[in-house]
Amino acid sequence: MSPEDEVRTVSLSFYAALTCMANGDAEPLAAIWSHGNLVTTMHPIGDRQVGWNAVSTSFEQVAQLASGGKVELQQQHIHIVGELACETGIEQGQITLAGQSVPIEHRVTNLYQREAGSWKMIHHHTDISPAMLAVLERLPQA
């Protein structure tokens, strides 16, 4: 399999795991991500998480509020240089977040790094989603 096909395969796995998270189960994301201290996310609900512990916690927190979701990558473009792959595209789908249906349409950049012979995600960055933020702002503060 070519490196580009390998990245396409792990990307499909990431979006399948992201769909699981959008249905309340963040656990499948662990298999896709590198677990290092330098991995990062910048989610559609804002903020930046650095390190696997913060990244995994952020996905778990969204999963607790999420149901009925599906996320797919459209307009995928992959560029590979050595052991690093950059993927861009448009995430499309929908999610029910805290009982409110929210459309998903974000530009996205994903970075993957080859670790021990397989590609692992090291960065996920999407546009901010005003619709998701509006839902979260209506939630009672803990």
Side-chain angles (χ1 to χ4, degrees):
M1 187 180 304
S2 74
E4 187 170 303
D5 287 338
E6 291 172 351
V7 171
R8 285 185 202 286
T9 298
V10 75
S11 176
L12 286 170
S13 296
F14 171 67
Y15 282 96
L18 199 61
T19 292
C20 288
M21 188 267 324
N23 285 280
D25 181 10
E27 189 173 327
L29 287 162
I32 310 303
W33 278 83
S34 173
H35 291 195
N37 292 329
L38 299 177
V39 300
T40 53
T41 59
M42 296 175 78
H43 293 298
I45 56 174
D47 292 331
R48 177 182 65 171
Q49 294 75 38
V50 178
W52 173 243
N53 289 338
V55 168
S56 64
T57 297
S58 69
F59 282 121
E60 291 165 6
Q61 289 171 339
V62 172
Q64 290 175 6
L65 300 171
S67 64
K70 182 169 181 145
V71 187
E72 296 179 322
L73 182 65
Q74 305 294 319
Q75 300 179 32
Q76 181 186 49
H77 177 78
I78 296 171
H79 181 74
I80 301 172
V81 177
E83 303 295 299
L84 189 64
C86 178
E87 170 183 62
T88 59
I90 307 292
E91 289 182 348
Q92 293 184 322
Q94 63 84 35
I95 189 172
T96 300
L97 196 58
Q100 300 291 309
S101 181
V102 180
I104 295 172
E105 187 163 353
H106 311 127
R107 295 176 301 170
V108 65
T109 301
N110 296 318
L111 297 178
Y112 302 91
Q113 181 174 314
R114 191 182 295 274
E115 290 182 1
S118 64
W119 293 97
K120 295 292 185 177
M121 182 166 278
I122 59 169
H123 178 72
H124 175 69
H125 179 199
T126 69
D127 289 330
I128 294 289
S129 170
M132 287 183 184
L133 288 173
V135 169
L136 296 177
E137 286 172 1
R138 290 192 296 267
L139 293 178
Q141 298 299 316

